[in-house]
Amino acid sequence: MIANITKGKKAVGALVYDFGPGRRDEHINPRIVAGNVTGTPLQVARAIDHTARRRPGITAPIWRASLSLPDEDGILPDAQWSTIATEFITAMGFDAAPWVAVRHGDDHIHLTVSRVDWTGQLLTDRWDYRRAREAADHLEEEHGLVRARDRFRAEGPQVRNAELEAAKRRGRGPDADRPPEREELRQLVREVRDASRGLGRAVFESGLADAGVQFRANEASTGRMNGYSFTVDGLVDGEGEQIWHAASKVAKDLRWAQLKAVIGDDPAAGPDAAATAEFVDRATEMLRQGRIERGAAQPGDHPALSSDPAARILAQWQAKAAGQEAPAEALPVPEPQPVVPAWTDRRRRPHGALATDAIPGEIKKARRQIATWQSEMETAQSTARTWDGLATGAVTGTRVRDLYQLAAKVEAAAPHIEAEVAARHDRVAADTAADAARKIWQEARHRKELGWLELRKLGTNRKAEEKKAETSREAIHAYVEQARQAMHRAADASQAAQEASGLPWAEREQTRLREEWPQLLADAQRGDQDEGRARRDAEQARVEDLARRIQGAAARADRLAQEAELRRTMPAEQAKAEGRARRDAARSKPPTSRRRKAAPRPPGEQPAHLRRQPPAAGGPGRTR
């Protein structure tokens, strides 16, 4: 598994790329397989960016990693990729921050993480490349994947580009009968090394000369061996100068540290020389690691009794090699026991006054309280993350949901509302037509009362006016009936709209939603986000308070444990004296739960519940 890490400013661009077509249209079926942020890809990206913006001073708050597998591992299911992504994020220490894993191919996933966690704390990315490699190695072992270290481990620096072209000019290379010189050196030196196993440098160097390999031993001025350099005949540059390759450039396992372990440094020197080398190496290692305890030796002391371990080991071996008996080391003088502060000392308050048998119970009590608070803190952190999703708009709040539910109710009643509006329009039209017919009827009645000369001047007669009045009267009755029927239809449609929507004024709500929908939606979203921020801040404050409590309880448990260890290791006499002092102090303290006795009553006085005033004269308590 290969982990490729990049860093950026915003998660929106990263997720747009993940869910886009790709550079060569290679993205197929992009989908979220893991993460702790819900919503659409754009909502998830905005939520991650919102958390990252809480630390504006960070130039690259978005941490990106792609986990890819070789073809040998096959195609893993989404569920296994989800487990791998979650375990990888946990191993990197980013599980407390918003993150998401996207898969748009068969062999890899993309992780997008905010380096700012839910509480606003910045997560470190120090040594993230090394930690990612270690996490990937662990996942390879746990899920049975091909190890990247084995797959990409080269036996030595490869021959490429300019060196390969130069080898071709010298008649070597893939198309010739002989390989490039460095590959031939690798093969020859390894064969000589294996043949010289355990026989020492002299045999190894003789074998190199027999195999036609020229070598140079790189020794320091102090005589310390650092390794070899190798070459063969014909390995020259353009000017005819011999080209030498260091052993580490030929193969990694030919470095002196590995080569020495195979051939041995110089085994022919005998067992005494080997013992000398062993003691010297031990002394040198102690000096190098800084583990020696330097002390001032008294004049005349034997070196074998020195407080310097390196000098003592060398002196003991020299005495043994010379046939002398090294002086025995003096028996250690027991150090005086330290004086433990008394339990009344300020440094041991307040736990020094506790009985020894009560300390384990107090420690258990503190740890139980810590466990309870940790559970509450985890719950508060989960709740804070939920409210943070509401505050960032990644999660829909109750106000927005209620608004959409209201719109759905109005939409269900829309046909009935339209029928009601149409019925009202029909009623208005019928009323208008009835009013016009009434005017005609009134005019015809008035003309009937005129004389025939006036009617003739108006171009009509009595019979025509009577017929017009009758026609108008019938029209009035017809229009009134139409208006009445329209009114009934409107009432029935209104009742149906109320039953379909459950709203008493469905038409009014429909008009309000049509006219004010953008503003209503914005107000609902703002209200949900304000509530989310307030609730999130309250939960985060609770998390901080619980963290302080846990820290205090843990410190108290540590002090109690230190007190118990102190009493276990203190001198016996002091332990007995402190036990007596604590018992005496406990006896001298008065009990705090003693009830306060009531003052004695004067002789002859009745209790309070019996001291009642006699009823007044003529009152309700008086009987005849």
Side-chain angles (χ1 to χ4, degrees), residues 413 416 493-506:
H416 306 293
S494 177
Q495 182 66 25
Q498 183 175 354
E499 292 176 356
S501 64
L503 301 174
W505 305 103

Side-chain angles (χ1 to χ4, degrees), residues 479-624:
Y479 289 139
V480 168
E481 181 63 21
Q482 291 178 5
R484 186 184 65 81
Q485 292 177 359
M487 182 177 64
H488 285 297
R489 289 198 306 272
D492 293 340
S494 177
Q495 182 66 25
Q498 183 175 354
E499 292 176 356
S501 64
L503 301 174
W505 305 103
E507 183 184 1
R508 184 184 302 173
E509 292 295 337
Q510 185 187 49
T511 304
R512 185 172 70 93
L513 291 177
R514 285 178 178 175
E515 295 177 352
E516 304 176 8
W517 176 256
Q519 184 63 34
L520 292 174
L521 182 59
D523 293 343
Q525 292 174 343
R526 184 165 51 252
D528 287 337
Q529 292 178 358
D530 291 344
E531 181 183 3
R533 282 190 289 268
R535 296 290 186 89
R536 179 196 62 195
D537 295 341
E539 292 297 330
Q540 289 177 351
R542 176 169 172 75
V543 169
E544 295 174 358
D545 179 64
L546 289 172
R548 287 192 296 268
R549 294 185 186 181
I550 292 173
Q551 184 177 4
R556 183 173 182 271
D558 292 341
R559 290 194 297 269
L560 285 168
Q562 293 173 3
E563 177 66 23
E565 180 64 19
L566 190 63
R567 294 187 189 182
R568 188 182 65 83
T569 58
M570 72 170 50
E573 294 298 329
Q574 183 177 354
K576 293 179 181 179
E578 283 196 4
R580 289 192 297 269
R582 279 192 292 270
R583 288 192 296 270
D584 295 341
R587 293 193 192 100
S588 62
K589 292 182 179 179
T592 57
S593 60
R594 182 180 299 170
R595 296 182 59 184
R596 201 171 80 184
K597 294 183 179 180
R601 291 196 308 273
E605 185 176 350
Q606 291 181 337
H609 65 283
L610 297 178
R611 296 197 298 269
R612 296 179 179 176
Q613 296 293 333
R622 186 179 178 85
T623 57
R624 294 184 179 179

Side-chain angles (χ1 to χ4, degrees), residues 359-374:
I359 291 179
E362 291 293 327
I363 294 176
K364 291 182 180 179
K365 181 180 178 181
R367 289 175 178 171
R368 285 197 300 268
Q369 188 65 65
I370 290 173
T372 302
W373 285 338
Q374 284 178 341

Side-chain angles (χ1 to χ4, degrees), residues 420-441:
E420 180 184 0
V421 172
R424 285 204 304 268
H425 288 169
D426 293 343
R427 178 185 176 184
V428 171
D431 289 340
T432 303
D435 291 341
R438 288 189 184 93
K439 291 181 179 179
I440 296 173
W441 177 74

Side-chain angles (χ1 to χ4, degrees), residues 305-454:
L305 301 179
S306 172
S307 60
D308 186 343
R312 184 169 65 251
I313 291 172
L314 290 175
Q316 289 175 357
W317 177 85
Q318 290 171 356
K320 182 178 179 181
Q324 302 174 359
E325 185 176 355
E329 297 184 6
L331 295 175
V333 179
E335 297 182 357
Q337 295 185 352
V339 179
V340 182
W343 69 275
T344 55
D345 194 297
R346 179 176 300 178
R347 290 172 294 177
R348 292 185 59 194
R349 292 178 184 173
H351 309 308
L354 286 174
T356 304
D357 296 339
I359 291 179
E362 291 293 327
I363 294 176
K364 291 182 180 179
K365 181 180 178 181
R367 289 175 178 171
R368 285 197 300 268
Q369 188 65 65
I370 290 173
T372 302
W373 285 338
Q374 284 178 341
S375 177
E376 294 179 3
M377 186 171 68
E378 292 174 359
T379 303
Q381 288 174 340
S382 176
T383 307
R385 288 193 291 268
T386 302
W387 288 115
D388 187 75
L390 181 62
T392 57
V395 178
T396 303
T398 56
R399 293 174 177 81
V400 175
R401 287 199 298 268
D402 292 345
L403 186 61
Y404 276 105
Q405 289 176 1
L406 177 61
K409 292 179 180 180
V410 172
E411 185 66 22
H416 306 293
I417 295 174
E418 293 177 358
E420 180 184 0
V421 172
R424 285 204 304 268
H425 288 169
D426 293 343
R427 178 185 176 184
V428 171
D431 289 340
T432 303
D435 291 341
R438 288 189 184 93
K439 291 181 179 179
I440 296 173
W441 177 74
Q442 291 176 356
E443 183 181 4
R445 285 189 58 189
H446 175 70
R447 288 184 177 182
K448 284 194 309 180
E449 303 298 330
L450 298 178
W452 66 272
L453 183 59
E454 293 179 351

